[in-house]
C-alpha cells in the first residue's frame, strides 16, 4: 500500500470514529430530537442504551468488512480485467450486507433486547417507542455510515488493479 493510501485510510478510520461516537449523537440530540423522541421517551436514555450501542457494533462490522476487503484486494493478483470485474458484485454484496447488519443492530438494541430479557425500557412498552420518522432517520444514517465507513475507505485504499471495482473510484480518482 502506498504511503498516501495508508494516510488516507487512517484518516478515514479516525474520522469514522469521531463520526460514530461523537458527531452522530450530537446531531441526534441537537438537530433531530423531535423525530427520535416517542411518547414518554428521554432521548438521552435512548442514545445511551439503544442508538449508541447499535452504531458501535455496526462500526465494528464496517471496520471488519473494510479490513477483509483490503486484505483480499492487496493480496490478490488478477490475471485479467474480467477477474477484476468479478470483484464488483462482491463489493456490492459487502455494502448491502453492511446496510442490513446496521438495520439489524438498530432492531436488536431498540426492540429485541428488551423482549428477550423481559425487561421494559418504559412502563407499558416492550421496546423503545421510536416513531416511524425516527426509524427512517436511523435507517438513513445507517446508509450514510456505510458510505463514510466502507465506501470512502475502499475508494481511497483499493489498489490500482481494483480501482474499477469500487463505485465512483474512476470518476473521482481517475483510472491511473
Amino acid at each position: 500500500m502506498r504511503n498516501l493510501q495508508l494516510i488516507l485510510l487512517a484518516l478515514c478510520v479516525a474520522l469514522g470514529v469521531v463520526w460514530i461516537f461523537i458527531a452522530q449523537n450530537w446531531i441526534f440530540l441537537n438537530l433531530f430530537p423531535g423525530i427520535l423522541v416517542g411518547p414518554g421517551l428521554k432521548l438521552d436514555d435512548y442514545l445511551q442504551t439503544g442508538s449508541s450501542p447499535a452504531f458501535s457494533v455496526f462500526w465494528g462490522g464496517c471496520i471488519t468488512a473494510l479490513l477483509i476487503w483490503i486484505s483480499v484486494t492487496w493480496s490478490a493478483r488478477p490475471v485479467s480485467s474480467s477477474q477484476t470485474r468479478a470483484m464488483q458484485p462482491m463489493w456490492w454484496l459487502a455494502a448491502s450486507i453492511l446496510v442490513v447488519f446496521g438495520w439489524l443492530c438498530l432492531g436488536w438494541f431498540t426492540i429485541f433486547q428488551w423482549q428477550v430479557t423481559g425487561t421494559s425500557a418504559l412502563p407499558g412498552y416492550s421496546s423503545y417507542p421510536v416513531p416511524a420518522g425516527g426509524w427512517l432517520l436511523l435507517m438513513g444514517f445507517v446508509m450514510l455510515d456505510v458510505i463514510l465507513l466502507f465506501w470512502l475507505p475502499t475508494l481511497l485504499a483499493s489498489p490500482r488493479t481494483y480501482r474499477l471495482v469500487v463505485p465512483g473510484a474512476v470518476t473521482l480518482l481517475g483510472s491511473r
Side-chain angles (χ1 to χ4, degrees):
M1 195 179 276
R2 294 183 308 183
N3 289 337
L4 179 61
Q5 285 179 307
L6 279 173
I7 292 169
L8 291 173
L9 183 60
L11 184 64
C12 282
V13 170
L15 289 174
V17 167
V18 170
W19 171 255
I20 288 290
F21 296 104
I22 298 170
Q24 199 163 261
N25 282 340
W26 184 88
I27 290 171
F28 290 153
L29 280 170
N30 295 305
L31 299 179
F32 300 111
I35 296 174
L36 289 174
V37 174
L41 177 66
K42 290 175 36 180
L43 185 56
D44 288 336
D45 291 342
Y46 175 67
L47 291 178
Q48 288 179 1
T49 59
S51 172
S52 290
F55 281 108
S56 297
V57 170
F58 176 58
W59 177 82
C62 287
I63 293 299
T64 302
L66 175 62
L67 291 174
I68 291 169
W69 176 262
I70 289 172
S71 69
V72 166
T73 57
W74 280 95
S75 64
R77 300 285 179 235
V79 178
S80 66
S81 63
S82 63
Q83 283 182 328
T84 302
R85 281 192 305 272
M87 286 292 288
Q88 192 165 26
M90 298 306 291
W91 188 95
W92 280 105
L93 179 65
S96 300
I97 288 172
L98 283 173
V99 169
V100 172
F101 176 68
W103 292 343
L104 289 173
C105 288
L106 285 171
W108 175 260
F109 285 99
T110 304
I111 299 171
F112 300 116
Q113 81 169 348
W114 305 103
Q115 294 176 353
V116 169
T117 61
T119 60
S120 177
L122 296 168
Y125 290 96
S126 62
S127 66
Y128 274 100
V130 177
W135 278 109
L136 290 175
L137 178 70
L138 291 169
M139 292 169 71
F141 266 81
V142 165
M143 290 189 283
L144 177 63
D145 290 350
V146 168
I147 290 170
L148 294 175
L149 300 173
F150 185 68
W151 174 76
L152 185 60
T154 58
L155 174 95
L156 297 173
S158 290
R160 186 177 309 155
T161 53
Y162 289 101
R163 181 73 45 91
L164 298 173
V165 173
V166 180
V170 173
T171 304
L172 295 173
L173 302 175
S175 62
R176 295 184 188 242

